Amino acid sequence: MGGETSDSHKLDSKNQQEVIHWHDRGVAARALHLSRGVEKPSGRVTYIVVLEGLCRFNVQELSTRGTYYTARITSLDMTKGELELVEQDQEFVALSRQFKATAMELISILEQKQKTGGRTKVLLETVPVHKLADIFVASFEISFEEQLSMLDSVDVKVRLSKATELVDRHLQSIRVAEKITQKVEGQLSKSQKEFLLRQQMKAIKEELGDNDDEEDDLVALERKMQGAGMPASIWKHALRELRRLKKMQPQQPGYNSSRVYLELLADLPWEKASPELELDLKAAKERLDADHYGLLKVKQRIIEYLAVRKLKPDARGPVLCFVGPPGVGKTSLASSIAAALGRKFIRISLGGVKDEADIRGHRRTYIGSMPGRLVDGLKRVGVHNPVMLLDEIDKTGSDVRGDPASALLEVLDPEQNKTFNDHYLNVPFDLSKVIFVATANRMQPIPPPLLDRMEVIELPGYTPEEKLKIAIRHLIPRVLDQHGLSSDFLQIPEDMVKLVIQRYTREAGVRNLERNLAALARAAAVKVAEQEHLVPFAKDVQRLSSPLLDDKLAESTEVEMEVIPMGVNNHDISGAFRVASPMVVDEPMVEKVLGPPRYDDRETAERVANPGVSVGLVWTAFGGEVQFVEATAMVGKGDLHLTGQLGDVIKESAQIALTWVRARATELKLAISEETNLLEGRDIHIHFPAGAVPKDGPSAGVTLVTSLVSLFSKKRVRADTAMTGEMTLRGMVLPVGGVKDKVLAAHRYGIKRVILPERNLKDLVEVPATVLSSLEIILAKRVEDVLDQAFEGGCPWRQQSKL
């Protein structure tokens, strides 16, 4: 019998009783079984009662007897005769058929899902329909109001109608749930299929005894990580990442990236170093001398480092920066340093690098992230104390992706690189044992903070004498070896090497010299190959079974073939050739192969043959150069014209030089009186030849003054004299940079006298003694000192004053 308790009437006290609202209809039942249930932690005991329903009833009168209620009821079930009359009703038959069809469909779906037997179908066939409606509805999860409504349905047709509606609603909910399940299963089927196949593969491998599975790989990875020698803090981080990897399935998205990261941690040389050779300073010096001629300052610095390492084994590696023109051996010198120290060598080219991630790496959150070039290079060499070359450090750029030069500040600072933090690695790595060697053509593009962290060693270039020694000791043997020749085939005398140096190359380095020597070697290789290309077939050579060859031999013709004697290595075929005498390079052969001479010693004399031309010395990224300055006058309005692709600084120097000459015109005997205007009715045009080459800087000041004085006095400048120096408006000569490069350039051009600012005397210490001995160095404090030495026969105004 159903009932409900009002929420508004609670047992607030012992005097207040519960008020129960009884439903006027219920179900009579008989207790079949009572059993004790589970005792709860609160002490309450639950009981299970099994009831058998008998019939619906209607409450006539309700009375209280002690603590329970009694009621007088009347049965609501139909009699057998009434039921037979209802079963003959057409509407009841239609409702029964519809209910059974819906119930059968529901049972079929439930059997497919739950794999149950056909007991429910038996009920459907044997139990009367009006009782089936109660049985089905009782098994559904419906609301209490719907249960009471079903209880009130005494009319069998109403009861069937409501039961059919509830069964149909339950059927629709099952179909919707199935549709959602199928959709989800369709999305998961691929991953489940892969998982199933992997599990099957694993089982097959276990049966076959094949241990090459993922778990074994992870065990090997863990063993490798244990042997890497990581610091304790990094090992803790690596273990945490490894535990996370073990919980992941191989098909998960982050599995591969996490595994690659751990393999990098295991491969990095945390403790592994190149074995230290016995620090023999003499042997290291001999190795450096064998690889490079000259460069005493660099070699001395390496020997000093070795001496410090001998006294203090844990000394920090130096950070060197070689600055010099192309072809002077900066890059090869770094590899020689590694060989002399017995260390491994890494070369990292920074030319054109604009992304900071190239130095520090990408963060692991990005797709396709990688470590920076430094960490990757250390992984490749497998030691933490190599010689690392940062090539072309002056040619890094910067854009929206960051500034690599700024990222290098941490790398090259000995105080910071002990804990270098790569974005990909995300743990500190010690770079303090690495010897960093940077190379650059110019210092100007390198940011000052970065330049401050490096020890700059300038390599200005080689003298002709040094080039000759380098060619004989290094270049000629290397060129002959590269072209499959030896001294038995080709000999290049010293005189011819000097000729190539003086007439065909005027550079600070030796690259063009090596190219020209290679051209001579190629010409010799052609002649050697031609001598052995057509050979008569010898009688004592074993005959070959070839009909075509037999026909040729029968006609006594020459057979074109390449003869490769047995036992000769393919890479040294030239050793099998025999020539009567080696080919000696002479001047006609040089001109035939290299063309007419590009440079002439008489060039300077021809250029300064007319007044208004002076010879200056300039510095470029390719070393020192000789710069001619030409001035001429023409009818005009007193304007100054400047050409030659000049910068603002050199234009201002030209204006200062012209102003100084005009102010000193009377003293220089260029004007009769102070009122005379030098530019009256005429314009001045100053040109710096090689108009396609940009030029700038203040060091052409004295050269411009000399050119203008020569123009106005109509006196020629000495052809054997070159000069450099910045001038002030008052005529002082200020010091300039690049003195060593400029002096070497003058020596290369065959100039005998060089005028320098007096305050540049200290820079001559770096110039080789052989160059200084062949030059006359003149030091000038004022512009008048320059003019005294620049003209043939002395200064023009002094000549006139003597007259």
Side-chain angles (χ1 to χ4, degrees):
M1 185 171 172
E4 57 180 347
T5 303
S6 174
D7 292 338
S8 61
H9 298 280
K10 301 288 183 180
L11 288 174
D12 297 333
S13 65
K14 293 182 179 179
N15 299 327
Q16 190 171 5
Q17 295 182 350
E18 287 186 4
V19 178
I20 301 175
H21 297 280
W22 295 97
H23 194 65
D24 57 354
R25 288 182 182 174
V27 177
R30 180 175 56 199
L32 297 180
H33 181 71
L34 174 66
S35 63
R36 181 186 174 94
V38 181
E39 185 178 352
K40 293 187 176 179
S42 61
R44 291 183 61 189
V45 180
T46 58
Y47 292 89
I48 300 172
V49 181
V50 179
L51 301 174
E52 180 187 4
L54 299 175
C55 66
R56 283 178 172 82
F57 64 80
N58 189 31
V59 178
Q60 298 292 329
E61 184 182 348
L62 188 68
S63 60
T64 307
R65 184 180 295 176
T67 57
Y68 57 91
Y69 292 88
T70 60
R72 188 162 53 83
I73 62 172
T74 57
S75 175
L76 296 176
D77 282 358
M78 290 184 294
T79 63
K80 189 175 181 182
E82 291 174 343
L83 190 59
E84 288 177 353
L85 286 174
V86 172
E87 286 176 352
Q88 294 175 3
D89 188 357
Q90 294 298 321
E91 185 181 354
F92 176 79
V93 173
L95 284 171
S96 299
R97 192 180 297 115
Q98 184 183 0
F99 173 77
K100 284 189 175 183
T102 309
M104 184 63 73
E105 189 175 355
L106 176 62
I107 291 168
S108 300
I109 292 176
L110 290 175
E111 283 183 351
Q112 288 177 5
K113 289 183 66 176
Q114 299 173 3
K115 306 297 181 184
T116 59
R119 288 180 297 173
T120 313
K121 287 184 179 180
V122 173
L123 285 175
L124 200 62
E125 294 171 357
T126 56
V127 178
V129 179
H130 64 281
K131 290 188 178 182
L132 274 177
D134 292 333
I135 293 171
F136 268 81
V137 172
S139 64
F140 297 157
E141 290 183 2
I142 57 177
S143 65
F144 186 66
E145 288 76 12
E146 287 176 324
Q147 289 178 357
L148 289 179
S149 174
M150 196 68 186
L151 181 66
D152 290 341
S153 302
V154 179
D155 188 347
V156 180
K157 290 189 285 187
V158 174
R159 192 188 310 169
L160 274 179
S161 179
K162 287 184 178 181
T164 305
E165 181 185 347
L166 289 172
V167 171
D168 188 59
R169 190 174 73 184
H170 192 65
L171 184 62
Q172 295 301 325
S173 65
I174 290 176
R175 283 175 177 167
V176 170
E178 275 190 345
K179 190 175 181 182
I180 294 171
T181 304
Q182 287 175 359
K183 194 172 183 180
V184 173
E185 284 179 351
Q187 294 173 350
L188 297 178
S189 59
K190 185 178 179 183
S191 59
Q192 288 173 345
K193 182 180 178 182
E194 288 181 358
F195 177 76
L196 181 63
L197 290 173
R198 289 181 188 278
Q199 293 299 318
Q200 290 176 349
M201 188 187 301
K202 184 177 178 181
I204 292 170
K205 285 183 177 180
E206 286 178 356
E207 288 295 325
L208 294 175
D210 188 357
N211 294 324
D212 186 22
D213 58 0
E214 201 67 32
E215 290 184 4
D216 289 339
D217 287 349
L218 293 180
V219 170
L221 178 60
E222 185 174 5
R223 194 180 303 115
K224 190 176 180 182
M225 289 167 58
Q226 290 172 348
M230 302 178 196
S233 59
I234 299 171
W235 171 246
K236 186 177 179 182
H237 168 78
L239 271 183
R240 186 165 60 249
E241 188 74 20
L242 182 63
R243 280 196 296 269
R244 192 170 74 89
L245 181 67
K246 286 180 178 179
K247 295 176 183 177
M248 298 169 69
Q249 293 296 328
Q251 63 268 25
Q252 284 185 253
Y255 182 87
N256 282 333
S257 62
S258 183
R259 177 167 179 164
V260 169
Y261 173 70
L262 288 174
E263 286 177 349
L264 174 66
L265 286 178
D267 289 337
L268 280 177
W270 300 98
E271 287 183 341
K272 190 177 179 182
S274 296
E276 289 290 342
L277 300 176
E278 186 179 351
L279 295 177
D280 189 347
L281 303 186
K282 185 178 179 182
K285 189 173 186 303
E286 289 175 354
R287 178 61 188 263
L288 291 170
D289 288 337
D291 290 343
H292 288 80
Y293 180 82
L295 305 178
L296 299 178
K297 193 173 181 179
V298 181
K299 294 176 182 176
Q300 183 61 31
R301 180 64 184 85
I302 300 303
I303 298 302
E304 290 169 0
Y305 169 69
L306 286 176
V308 173
R309 281 296 306 275
K310 198 168 186 176
L311 301 176
K312 184 176 174 60
D314 58 343
R316 292 173 181 168
V319 181
L320 306 178
C321 180
F322 299 151
V323 179
V328 296
K330 301 184 296 295
T331 303
S332 59
L333 187 60
S335 60
S336 296
I337 291 172
L341 298 177
R343 296 195 182 186
K344 293 189 176 181
F345 178 68
I346 314 171
R347 178 180 173 272
I348 298 175
S349 180
L350 299 178
V353 171
K354 294 183 178 181
D355 192 351
E356 181 190 349
D358 279 338
I359 307 299
R360 282 208 179 111
H362 305 82
R363 298 193 185 277
R364 289 175 57 207
T365 52
Y366 298 126
I367 295 174
S369 57
M370 297 183 298
R373 295 193 184 189
L374 279 78
V375 171
D376 185 60
L378 289 169
K379 174 191 168 185
R380 280 187 281 113
V381 294
V383 293
H384 71 264
N385 64 340
V387 175
M388 185 174 289
L389 173 66
L390 305 176
D391 213 2
E392 310 292 355
I393 200 171
D394 59 329
K395 295 177 180 62
T396 59
S398 62
D399 59 8
V400 293
R401 293 170 293 180
D403 184 7
S406 299
L408 285 170
L409 293 175
E410 180 188 2
V411 175
L412 300 180
D413 190 340
E415 299 297 329
Q416 299 181 40
N417 64 11
K418 288 186 289 187
T419 56
F420 171 68
N421 202 333
D422 185 274
H423 287 161
Y424 181 85
L425 205 58
N426 205 27
V427 291
F429 191 88
D430 186 6
L431 295 178
S432 61
K433 300 294 189 296
V434 178
I435 296 180
F436 288 101
V437 178
T439 67
N441 294 128
R442 297 184 300 148
M443 283 192 289
Q444 284 78 8
I446 304 175
L450 181 59
L451 197 64
D452 181 61
R453 283 163 167 77
M454 300 185 290
E455 184 179 341
V456 177
I457 299 177
E458 294 188 12
L459 307 177
Y462 298 110
T463 64
E465 291 78 12
E466 288 175 334
K467 286 184 180 180
L468 179 62
K469 297 284 188 183
I470 291 169
I472 292 172
R473 292 187 184 182
H474 302 285
L475 300 184
I476 293 177
R478 184 164 69 201
V479 164
L480 292 178
D481 180 63
Q482 289 174 352
H483 293 82
L485 300 173
S486 66
S487 56
D488 296 333
F489 294 91
L490 178 66
Q491 293 182 358
I492 307 178
E494 282 191 22
D495 293 342
M496 294 301 103
V497 178
K498 285 182 182 177
L499 180 68
V500 173
I501 293 171
Q502 293 171 358
R503 299 291 180 87
Y504 292 91
T505 62
R506 278 186 179 172
E507 55 172 347
V510 291
R511 282 203 182 124
N512 281 331
L513 175 60
E514 185 173 5
R515 290 190 189 103
N516 288 323
L517 293 175
L520 295 172
R522 287 195 298 272
V526 171
K527 291 190 177 182
V528 171
E530 283 178 346
Q531 290 177 10
E532 297 293 334
H533 196 58
L534 288 174
V535 294
F537 196 77
K539 292 181 181 180
D540 56 348
V541 177
Q542 182 181 356
R543 292 184 60 83
L544 303 176
S545 57
S546 170
L548 179 62
L549 184 59
D550 292 341
D551 294 342
K552 290 286 184 184
L553 293 175
E555 298 171 5
S556 299
T557 57
E558 286 188 326
V559 180
E560 185 174 339
M561 59 185 293
E562 186 177 0
V563 178
I564 303 179
M566 298 298 292
V568 181
N569 293 331
N570 290 337
H571 60 81
D572 193 18
I573 301 303
S574 62
F577 292 154
R578 291 187 177 86
V579 290
S581 61
M583 186 182 302
V584 180
V585 175
D586 53 10
E587 192 167 347
M589 180 180 175
V590 171
E591 289 198 12
K592 181 180 178 182
V593 175
L594 303 181
R598 299 189 184 97
Y599 306 102
D600 193 348
D601 291 340
R602 298 185 297 274
E603 179 185 3
T604 307
E606 292 171 357
R607 298 282 288 271
V608 300
N610 299 319
V613 182
S614 58
V615 185
L617 296 172
V618 296
W619 182 91
T620 69
F622 300 95
E625 292 290 339
V626 170
Q627 175 66 61
F628 295 93
V629 178
E630 301 175 351
T632 187
M634 54 193 167
V635 177
K637 299 178 181 179
D639 295 332
L640 174 64
H641 303 279
L642 298 169
T643 56
Q645 205 171 344
L646 309 178
D648 292 337
V649 177
I650 203 168
K651 289 179 181 178
E652 292 174 357
S653 296
Q655 193 65 53
I656 292 170
L658 180 59
T659 301
W660 187 87
V661 171
R662 291 177 66 185
R664 297 285 195 279
T666 308
E667 298 175 20
L668 298 173
K669 307 297 182 184
L670 303 177
I672 300 172
S673 65
E674 292 185 0
E675 289 76 17
T676 306
N677 184 3
L678 274 179
L679 301 182
E680 185 72 36
R682 58 181 173 179
D683 290 348
I684 303 298
H685 187 159
I686 299 176
H687 177 63
F688 287 73
V693 180
K695 307 168 191 71
D696 203 3
S699 62
V702 296
T703 315
L704 287 160
V705 168
T706 306
S707 175
L708 290 171
V709 171
S710 171
L711 173 68
F712 292 134
S713 65
K714 297 182 174 55
K715 295 291 183 181
R716 291 184 300 174
V717 178
R718 292 184 60 162
D720 61 348
T721 303
M723 63 199 73
T724 184
E726 180 182 357
M727 67 166 291
T728 66
L729 201 58
R730 291 293 183 176
M732 295 290 294
V733 180
L734 301 181
V736 293
V739 170
K740 184 177 179 182
D741 294 275
K742 294 175 180 178
V743 171
L744 291 177
H747 183 61
R748 284 199 301 271
Y749 273 77
I751 289 171
K752 302 300 181 187
R753 303 168 78 241
V754 176
I755 301 174
L756 296 175
E758 188 179 55
R759 287 163 63 184
N760 280 121
L761 175 64
K762 63 183 183 301
D763 298 314
L764 294 176
V765 178
E766 299 180 0
V767 181
T770 53
V771 176
L772 288 177
S773 63
S774 63
L775 291 174
E776 180 186 353
I777 305 296
I778 300 158
L779 301 176
K781 190 174 183 179
R782 295 188 56 82
V783 177
E784 290 85 347
D785 302 333
V786 176
L787 297 176
D788 279 339
Q789 301 293 335
F791 291 92
E792 294 180 356
C795 188
W797 80 78
R798 296 199 174 175
Q799 284 184 348
Q800 294 178 16
S801 62
K802 289 177 182 177
L803 292 174

